[in-house]
């Protein structure tokens, strides 16, 4: 396999590049290859000459030239004899290092990596007993973007399901008052806003990434609820009013709360899109979300508002809600076939008396279900104890999950399944989790290496690690020669340069030491490096992060100035900030929202209830998210930030209607709040869940995390809106009776109602005069 890899050629005009042309060179101008390759070559040579005394030790072995090399990250699944002699190894890891010094070299290296993967896969077919998992510098990027490609047909399925359900939710048996077009146009409004944001991001040079898959669902939760709320407000208006007056009533009733929740979305994601967020993917996601939400608000005001007016005129003229054809009178319909009468069923205003006028829209299934059954059932005295008990169970399980929250730093969580990244990281975790990656320990100042106290300090810092160290090897070298390690500076340095580094088995350490000659020809060690490896367990990444933090703190307080580094630390640092930064921003957003809403709500009690509800929902989502094996990573944290706004979107109208209600009992106002806003919440929830379901089938860990988080947010919020809040609000203070306005019997007002009919139109005007 190694020979096949080194023979790979990248054809360019006039020249064929091989590994030897693009590899990183060592001091003797040969390609740097893993030490395990030299070990295998020596093992092969020993077997060909029938030598049986050659042994490999683990995790440090000796080469033929006497060099000590670390093989803990190159041999995996190792079984050892006594004295760390290797009996067998289940896995071998080979790494090839390429240069990227200019654009041509970078292009050749990229092509070489592609051919490398093809070569390994071809080699796999001819050697089926051996499993091979290639991984290159571009594999993670390719597998991350693969989520978008594998998600396409599932997203189309989701769109079809949402369109179908949105149309059904806005339909009813009455063909005049049914609004199927508004369901479709509401979804079109959300889609236009999402596409507008995507277009603006593309035109401004923004980069697409797979986290954008969550933006349509962010818009679906916010945009559809706003359109359904407007439709619900339309059903509350009087049919004898002019379309303009009904539209004005709709905007006055629903757009204030929709404007406030939109502002809160913009603030939350605006902070996420600010320079405070140092993760580019999260920042672009929040920026795109802000643009989409802003344009969704404009489109709801203009496009959807105009559509509502248009369908209002169709209703006012008694035209069919789908075909826009004039619906004939009942006496004409009697002469038509049954299917014709079924399609054109409608209730005319002259056919209803005054007592039935307000119940025209009750034939809608969801309105009828909430008003006739659910509101009475959820406020029933015998149901409330079970709801409270269920809430205590909910809190218990949420707490159990919350105490087990873990931060996810696995690369496989953000890529599609059945990819090279998944296969490679799974194999690496299985076979190479005994030892950490090699950690560079760099001393970046001139210290007194010859001083015995300094020697003890350096050895103390590296204590407990498997060490590949010129310093320790040099001290052992001096001891073998019966020379004290506490030599004078000149003797210590001369022995190091002219004796130790000239010995073949220690010559490779010359790359780890930087000498400097002073003005008086005195030589000094100005910087050096050593390599450390830590013994790790299954929780390798968590241990590595703790180890990194410990070494960093030590480097700030130690007498010897040093830094530690490994390429994996870059990802770990980025991961830590990917969780910490969004969490910090969400806290800032939450505090700002609470402060902001305190000046906007009509009663401070709304703010208190809203805060408690958001806290309960977020606590439950985090707990159940952990029980569902979702780790706290960048994707899940972005979903939690969205969850704050989603909860406010659905719960704020319910709470404001209840808190601002006066005179009647708490139970009466709970029922009223559910009747007024429950239909819109239920319609939005059903469409949202149906849209999420296809996402669960996408073969990607990123979409799996997205589905589980968004599904839990929707489910827990729905549970609070339709069960917890309606029950708790009925028995917790303040009492509605105490807030009832007292009227003086002596100052009673007499009201004279005069009904005036405009003979030129069908409008009825109520004029109320106080006498």
């Amino acid at each position: 396999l190694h020979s096949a890899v080194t023979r790979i050629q990248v054809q360019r005009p006039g020249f064929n590049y091989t590994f030897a042309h693009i590899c990183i060179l060592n001091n003797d101008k040969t390609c740097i290859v893993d030490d395990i390759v030299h070990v295998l070559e020596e093992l092969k040579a020993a077997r060909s000459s029938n030598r049986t005394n050659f042994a490999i030790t683990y995790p440090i072995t000796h080469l033929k030239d006497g060099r000590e090399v670390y093989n803990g990250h190159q041999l995996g699944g190792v079984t050892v004899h006594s004295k760390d002699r290797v009996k067998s190894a289940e896995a071998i890891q080979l790494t090839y290092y390429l240069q990227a010094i200019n654009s041509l070299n970078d292009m050749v290296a990229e092509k070489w990596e592609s051919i490398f993967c093809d070569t390994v896969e071809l080699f796999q077919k001819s050697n089926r007993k051996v499993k091979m998992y290639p991984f290159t510098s571009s594999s993670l990027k390719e597998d991350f973007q693969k989520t978008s490609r594998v998600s396409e047909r599932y997203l189309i399925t989701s769109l079809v399901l949402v369109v179908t359900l949105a149309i059904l939710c806005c339909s009813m048996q009455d063909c005049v008052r049914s609004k199927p077009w508004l369901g479709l146009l509401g979804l079109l409004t959300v889609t236009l806003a999402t596409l507008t944001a995507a277009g603006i991001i593309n035109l401004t040079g923004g980069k697409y990434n797979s986290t954008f898959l969550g933006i349509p669902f962010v818009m679906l939760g916010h945009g559809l609820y706003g359109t359904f709320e407007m439709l619900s407000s339309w059903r509350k208006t009087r049919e004898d009013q002019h379309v303009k007056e009904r539209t004005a009533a709709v905007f006055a009733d629903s757009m204030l709360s929709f404007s406030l929740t939109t502002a809160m979305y913009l603030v939350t994601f605006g902070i996420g899109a600010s320079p405070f967020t140092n993760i580019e993917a999260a920042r672009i996601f929040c920026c795109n979300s802000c643009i989409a939400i802003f344009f969704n608000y404009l489109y709801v005001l203009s496009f959807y508002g105009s559509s509502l007016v248009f369908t209002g005129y169709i209703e006012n003229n008694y035209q069919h809600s789908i075909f826009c054809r004039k619906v004939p009178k009942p006496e004409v319909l009697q002469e038509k076939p049954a299917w014709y009468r079924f399609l054109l069923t409608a209730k005319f205003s002259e056919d209803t008396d005054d007592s039935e006028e307000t119940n025209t829209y009750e034939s809608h299934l969801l309105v009828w279900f909430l008003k006739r059954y659910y509101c009475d059932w959820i406020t029933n005295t015998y149901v409330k104890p079970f709801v409270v008990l269920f809430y205590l169970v909910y809190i218990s399980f949420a707490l159990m999950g919350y105490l087990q929250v873990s931060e996810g730093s696995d690369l496989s969580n953000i890529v599609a399944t059945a990819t090279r990244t998944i296969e490679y990281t799974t194999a690496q975790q299985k076979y190479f989790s005994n030892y950490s990656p090699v950690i560079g320990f760099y001393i970046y100042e001139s210290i007194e290496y010859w001083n015995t106290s300094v020697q003890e300090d350096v050895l103390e810092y590296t204590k407990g690690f498997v060490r590949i160290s010129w310093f320790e090897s040099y001290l052992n070298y001096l001891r073998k020669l019966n020379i004290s390690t506490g030599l004078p500076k000149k003797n210590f340095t001369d022995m190091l340069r002219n004796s130790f580094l000239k010995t073949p088995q220690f010559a490779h350490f010359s790359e780890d030491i930087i000498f400097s000659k002073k003005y008086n020809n005195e030589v000094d060690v100005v910087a050096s490096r050593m390599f450390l490896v830590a013994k790790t367990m299954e929780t390798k990444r968590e241990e590595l992060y703790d180890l990194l933090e410990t070494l960093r703190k030590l480097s700030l307080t130690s007498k010897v100035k040093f830094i530690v580094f490994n390429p994996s630390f870059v990802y770990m640092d980025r991961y830590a900030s990917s969780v910490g930064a969004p969490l910090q921003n969400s806290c800032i957003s939450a505090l700002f929202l609470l402060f902001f809403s305190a000046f906007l709500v009509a009663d401070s009690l709304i703010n208190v209830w809203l805060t408690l509800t958001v806290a309960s929902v977020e606590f439950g989502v985090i707990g159940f998210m952990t029980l569902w094996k979702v780790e706290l990573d960048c994707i899940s944290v972005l979903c939690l930030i969205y969850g704050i706004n989603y909860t406010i979107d659905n719960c704020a109208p319910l709470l404001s209607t209840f808190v601002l209600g006066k005179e009647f009992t708490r139970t009466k106002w709970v029922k009223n709040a559910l009747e007024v806003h429950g239909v819109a919440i239920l319609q939005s929830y059903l469409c949202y869940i149906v849209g999420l379901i296809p996402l669960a089938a996408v073969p990607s860990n990123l979409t799996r995390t997205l589905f589980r988080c968004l599904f839990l947010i929707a489910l827990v919020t729905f549970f609070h809106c339709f069960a917890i809040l309606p029950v708790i609000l009925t028995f917790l203070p303040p009492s509605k009776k105490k807030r009832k306005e007292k009227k003086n019997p002596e100052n009673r007002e007499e009201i004279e109602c005069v009904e005036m009919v405009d003979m030129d139109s069908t409008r009825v005007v109520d004029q109320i005069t106080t006498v």
Side-chain angles (χ1 to χ4, degrees), residues 151-217:
S151 302
E152 289 176 356
R153 61 191 182 96
Y154 297 97
L155 290 177
I156 294 173
T157 304
S158 176
L159 181 63
V160 172
L161 291 175
V162 173
V163 168
T164 305
L165 191 59
I167 291 174
L168 290 176
C169 284
C170 297
S171 302
M172 51 192 296
Q173 189 176 2
D174 193 314
C175 69
V176 172
R177 294 165 182 85
S178 181
K179 298 286 186 293
W181 286 115
L182 284 186
L184 179 62
L185 293 172
L187 189 61
L188 181 61
T189 304
V190 175
T191 306
L192 285 175
T194 307
L195 292 176
T196 303
I200 291 174
I201 291 293
N202 288 335
L203 290 175
T204 54
K207 296 179 181 179
Y208 176 84
N209 61 71
S210 293
T211 58
F212 282 15
L213 289 173
I215 293 177
F217 296 97

Side-chain angles (χ1 to χ4, degrees), residues 509-526:
F509 283 131
S510 60
E511 299 177 358
D512 300 336
I513 307 170
I514 298 177
F515 293 99
S516 176
K517 187 176 290 187
K518 296 184 178 179
Y519 62 92
N520 56 358
N521 292 328
E522 183 180 353
V523 178
D524 196 9
V525 179
V526 294

